[in-house]
Amino acid sequence: MSASAFHALYHQGFARVAACTVPVALADPATNAQRTLEAAQTCGQDGAVLCVFPELGLSGYAIDDLRQQEALLNCVEQAIANLVAASADLLPILVVGAPLRHDNALYNCAVVIHRGTVMGIVPKSYLPNYREFYEARHFTPGVAIQGQTLRLNGADIPFGTDLLFEAEDVPGFCLGLELCEDLWVPAPPGTLAALAGATILANPSASDITVGKAETRTLLCRAQSARCVAAYIYAAAGEGESTNDVAWDGQITIFENGEVLAQSERFPSGSQHVVADIDLTLLRQERLRMGTFAANARAMQTHAPAWRRIRCTLTPPMADIGLRRPLSRFPFVPNDPDRLAQDCFEAFTIQVSALKQRLRTSGVKRMVIGISGGLDSTQALLVAVRAADELGWPRSAVLGYTMPGFGTTEKTLASAQALMAGLGTGNEVLDIRPAASLMLREIKHPFAQGEPVHDITFENVQAGLRTDFLFRLANQHQGMVIGTGDLSELALGWCTYGVGDQMAHYNVNAGLPKTLIQHIIRWAIASGHFSPDVTPLLSTILATEISPELVPVGANGSQSTEDIIGPYALHDFTLFYVLRYGFTPSRIAFMAEQVWRDASVGNWPPGFLEQDCKAYNLPIIRHWLHIFLRRFFGTSQFKRSAMPNGPKVMAGGSLSPRGDWRAPSDGNATLWLAELDRNVPKS
């Protein structure tokens, strides 16, 4: 694949859309059409293929009985004709609001225009006629309109609430419409449109503003986008609307699957638009995984119209025009401090509550845990201590063992001992080197004959003995071995199978990605669950390089885990999108380059150290993605197929064979590696 194609957002399954609001000229359709055209031209030059404008934007919403004046309605039709003619060379589909006549009735309509044609007209289903609203005085509800055509400017236009608009050259682009009040009813018409395949729901709205209404409106839009697994484009009327008895805030927002992608300021002055790149692939993949989505669509077929699908060709730009959407370097770690604190609280509490339940039902008296002085075992120890506290157990019931081997450093040994002492748990040093030396000698390993051979056997003898000792200690003390290995290590197979750190009686960390654990420990420091004496110990551990410490200090080769298997930041990025959405390697590489190529751009999580703010270019991303794919799909599933119990923690998924992820242990990575090699440029 060429570099230009690789970097094209439309090639990668995104679509750029816009929500627009312009100052309205009351009862002046010609002026409103011109302002609409100017905004659409700007958005089109920016690469947007859809622009949504406010309800009744061509006439103005707050004009009361002027809506029924023939002079006005004639001018609206002429304004549409002018806008249609001017749209011939425009990229985006335009959704504009207009009052239109049909069969001796007046309808509040959304007119869909593209490349010199009116593709279709959708009437508002539900008319508010309560409190400040009097729409039923002028309009006829459109909820029953299906299968009809409306005569407009000499052409018969598809007219009804049964219209969907599909792009033949942008996979997954399917547009459904609902107008303002339609969103506020218990069963919005956009829901049926989404079940029929609409991935984008547009809402041309007027929506006057009162104190607190904006929050409710946003809640409804977010909920509709989440429930429908869709993008939701909301465009509200603002400046220029009459303030006889109400006011307008003109807020425009783009949502996707429950999240806000882009939002304008409220009460704007002048023309405003917001642009965002919606992820059509994500929406389709999410629906694919939700078997209940398709089941609900089948169940609702008797209530749904016989949909008419209006197709068009968008011809979007297939060049690098950037990517405009919130995209996190750490998809498991929120950038917002309040959200991060909430996630850390929930993750820690999920671990503690799950462990408490297992302890209560198992009949054991103690917990047995190996402490290395690293992140994972520290997190597991904090969880074990908190569980003991909440169960009313003494902290001495947490039997902590640090087990130095041939590569253990004085720093991590001291950290492990100090942490156990500070927390008041059991604190034992169990030197595994004599037992390891005996095993190496018995299997005739070269190291036992004095040769500096530090191969996988040398490493796994130590890793296996540590776990073996823990299980026998659990037998001896009526205890349960608490696992410490995390989600990221399980993804990469970075654990010793069987008699090793892959195994435990219960693994509290199995659902936690490596990139989140450091933040949970920081949260634990601030939470007050543990004494201030422990804080400096935890800070020291946070600053310690990630390493299994199995090779003697000074031996050839690095002991840094990330030097060997790659940065956990990149691996967790890949893991999230493989596990949660099943994205292709090339798409993940595209997204990773967007967020990792420049360390000075974008937000970093709270508490992230400046020296750790790194950048990775596409060749580096490609290299480590290759490693991930080979390990995840090709060599590591057999370890996950036999993993012990442990709670799912993150919405991003888990790797339990009894939960989120089930795969053959004898699979291979050929397909994913080939896709990477074929579609991601090497430079």
Side-chain angles (χ1 to χ4, degrees):
M1 180 188 296
S2 68
S4 59
F6 173 79
H7 288 101
L9 70 90
Y10 285 99
H11 176 81
Q12 295 290 355
F14 297 90
R16 183 162 293 176
V17 299
C20 310
T21 188
V22 298
V24 69
L26 295 177
D28 186 352
T31 297
N32 294 328
Q34 181 59 36
R35 291 173 179 174
T36 297
L37 177 62
E38 291 169 358
Q41 289 170 333
T42 299
C43 295
Q45 291 166 0
D46 213 12
V49 291
L50 174 65
C51 296
V52 181
F53 293 87
E55 179 182 15
L56 296 178
L58 291 183
S59 62
Y61 179 88
I63 59 175
D64 296 318
D65 290 351
L66 299 184
R67 293 166 172 168
Q68 294 179 322
Q69 289 289 307
E70 186 170 7
L72 174 81
L73 296 174
N74 289 340
C75 285
V76 166
E77 293 181 359
Q78 183 58 52
I80 292 174
N82 294 342
L83 196 55
V84 168
S87 74
D89 297 323
L90 283 182
L91 170 62
I93 294 172
L94 310 184
V95 178
V96 298
L100 293 175
R101 293 164 288 193
H102 175 68
D103 283 351
N104 301 311
L106 186 65
Y107 292 90
N108 181 344
C109 298
V111 183
V112 182
I113 299 169
H114 186 238
R115 296 280 171 89
T117 63
V118 178
M119 297 173 63
I121 300 170
V122 178
K124 188 173 185 176
S125 291
Y126 301 100
L127 304 177
N129 214 53
Y130 54 88
R131 292 193 287 272
E132 67 266 35
F133 297 107
Y134 296 95
E135 285 194 34
R137 177 180 174 89
H138 310 111
F139 297 114
T140 297
V143 64
I145 303 295
Q146 297 176 14
Q148 299 188 26
T149 58
L150 184 150
R151 188 74 176 171
L152 178 65
N153 295 325
D156 291 322
I157 310 298
F159 176 59
T161 58
D162 56 344
L163 301 181
L164 296 175
F165 304 90
E166 296 183 329
E168 294 185 330
D169 56 344
V170 178
F173 185 102
C174 183
L175 172 66
L177 294 169
E178 55 188 22
L179 284 75
C180 198
E181 182 73 11
D182 293 345
L183 172 65
W184 295 73
V185 301
T191 303
L192 290 176
L195 292 173
T199 51
I200 306 167
L201 300 176
N203 188 325
S205 176
S207 189
D208 66 315
I209 191 63
T210 54
V211 173
K213 186 176 181 180
E215 184 179 0
T216 303
R217 191 173 60 200
T218 297
L219 179 64
L220 286 172
C221 292
R222 289 188 66 172
Q224 182 72 332
S225 74
R227 186 185 304 108
C228 294
V229 193
Y232 200 88
I233 308 172
Y234 183 89
E239 187 179 15
E241 290 287 1
S242 173
T243 57
N244 269 9
D245 297 295
V246 292
W248 314 86
D249 71 342
Q251 189 167 38
I252 47 178
T253 314
I254 301 172
F255 304 83
E256 179 189 277
N257 199 25
E259 300 293 333
V260 176
L261 295 189
Q263 190 167 26
S264 73
E265 63 182 37
R266 296 171 64 200
F267 307 100
S269 177
S271 179
Q272 298 281 328
H273 69 271
V274 294
V275 171
D277 298 333
I278 58 174
D279 193 339
L280 298 172
T281 301
L282 181 151
L283 296 172
R284 289 188 296 162
Q285 286 290 94
E286 186 76 337
R287 289 179 176 184
L288 186 69
R289 281 158 171 70
M290 285 180 61
T292 51
F293 190 93
N296 190 221
R298 289 191 292 272
M300 296 300 292
Q301 280 180 344
T302 56
H303 303 281
W307 293 99
R308 291 179 286 171
R309 298 177 185 271
I310 314 298
R311 293 180 171 84
C312 67
T313 301
L314 294 177
T315 318
M318 299 302 288
D320 183 1
I321 57 174
L323 186 68
R324 296 190 187 178
R325 62 181 283 115
L327 193 60
S328 174
R329 292 179 173 90
F330 300 95
F332 290 110
V333 183
N335 292 326
D336 177 73
D338 292 337
R339 174 66 188 278
L340 177 57
Q342 176 68 18
D343 283 10
C344 289
F345 160 76
E346 289 189 357
F348 188 77
T349 306
I350 288 168
Q351 289 181 283
V352 171
S353 62
L355 178 57
K356 285 166 55 184
Q357 172 65 12
R358 181 53 58 94
L359 292 169
R360 276 192 295 257
T361 58
S362 67
V364 300
K365 304 298 182 183
R366 296 170 184 84
M367 291 173 270
V368 175
I369 184 168
I371 307 301
S372 68
L375 285 175
D376 292 348
S377 64
T378 295
Q379 174 64 17
L381 181 61
L382 295 178
V383 170
V385 166
R386 184 64 179 170
D389 290 348
E390 294 187 9
L391 288 170
W393 291 13
R395 289 190 177 184
S396 58
V398 181
L399 305 182
Y401 295 88
T402 186
M403 295 174 281
F406 297 116
T408 302
T409 63
E410 291 298 324
K411 178 181 179 181
T412 55
L413 180 60
S415 293
Q417 290 182 282
L419 181 62
M420 289 185 285
L423 290 170
T425 66
N427 182 3
E428 298 287 340
V429 177
L430 200 166
D431 191 340
I432 66 166
R433 286 172 292 186
S437 296
L438 175 61
M439 181 176 285
L440 290 166
R441 186 165 62 250
E442 290 299 315
I443 65 173
K444 298 181 175 58
H445 189 274
F447 181 81
Q449 279 73 53
E451 298 181 32
V453 177
H454 309 122
D455 56 9
I456 189 67
T457 304
F458 174 81
E459 293 186 3
N460 281 350
V461 162
Q462 298 171 78
L465 279 170
R466 283 173 174 150
T467 304
D468 199 8
F469 273 121
L470 292 175
F471 271 97
R472 303 297 74 80
L473 287 163
N475 296 154
Q476 185 178 359
H477 296 289
Q478 290 184 279
M480 173 187 292
V481 177
I482 307 301
T484 62
D486 62 50
L487 183 71
S488 308
E489 293 176 343
L490 287 166
L492 294 160
W494 191 249
C495 51
T496 301
Y497 181 73
V499 190
D501 56 336
Q502 177 259 352
M503 188 49 61
H505 286 126
Y506 195 73
N507 186 359
V508 294
N509 282 350
L512 278 186
K514 184 79 77 176
T515 48
L516 182 61
I517 288 178
Q518 60 175 302
H519 297 285
I520 299 179
I521 293 174
R522 289 193 183 100
W523 171 85
I525 292 172
S527 68
H529 289 327
F530 307 101
S531 69
D533 296 342
V534 176
T535 297
L537 303 174
L538 295 175
S539 298
T540 297
I541 291 167
L542 285 169
T544 301
E545 184 178 48
I546 300 170
S547 171
E549 293 194 339
L550 294 171
V551 177
V553 177
N556 292 335
S558 172
Q559 284 212 86
S560 167
T561 297
E562 293 185 298
D563 285 350
I564 300 168
I565 61 170
Y568 277 112
L570 290 181
H571 287 323
D572 278 1
F573 187 92
T574 300
L575 174 62
F576 180 86
Y577 289 107
V578 165
L579 191 57
R580 186 71 171 84
Y581 297 115
F583 286 172
T584 62
S586 60
R587 195 169 204 273
I588 294 171
F590 168 79
M591 296 168 67
E593 187 192 21
Q594 296 293 322
V595 294
W596 283 105
R597 61 189 173 193
D598 188 344
S600 66
V601 174
N603 297 321
W604 292 85
F608 212 81
L609 300 178
E610 186 176 350
Q611 62 265 28
D612 293 331
C613 296
K614 299 178 181 179
Y616 301 103
N617 61 26
L618 185 59
I620 292 175
I621 291 168
R622 191 183 192 280
H623 169 76
W624 292 119
L625 182 52
H626 188 282
I627 299 296
F628 179 94
L629 297 172
R630 179 176 57 80
R631 296 185 69 99
F632 183 84
F633 289 106
T635 64
S636 302
Q637 181 57 41
F638 77 99
K639 298 180 182 180
R640 298 189 290 267
S641 294
M643 64 184 279
N645 292 174
K648 177 179 178 178
V649 178
M650 307 301 297
S654 79
L655 288 169
S656 168
R658 300 164 296 277
D660 280 12
W661 181 256
R662 303 170 196 193
S665 294
D666 50 2
N668 66 79
T670 302
L671 185 152
W672 289 268
L673 292 173
E675 201 279 341
L676 177 74
D677 290 339
R678 183 172 61 250
N679 294 325
V680 180
K682 291 183 170 64
S683 60

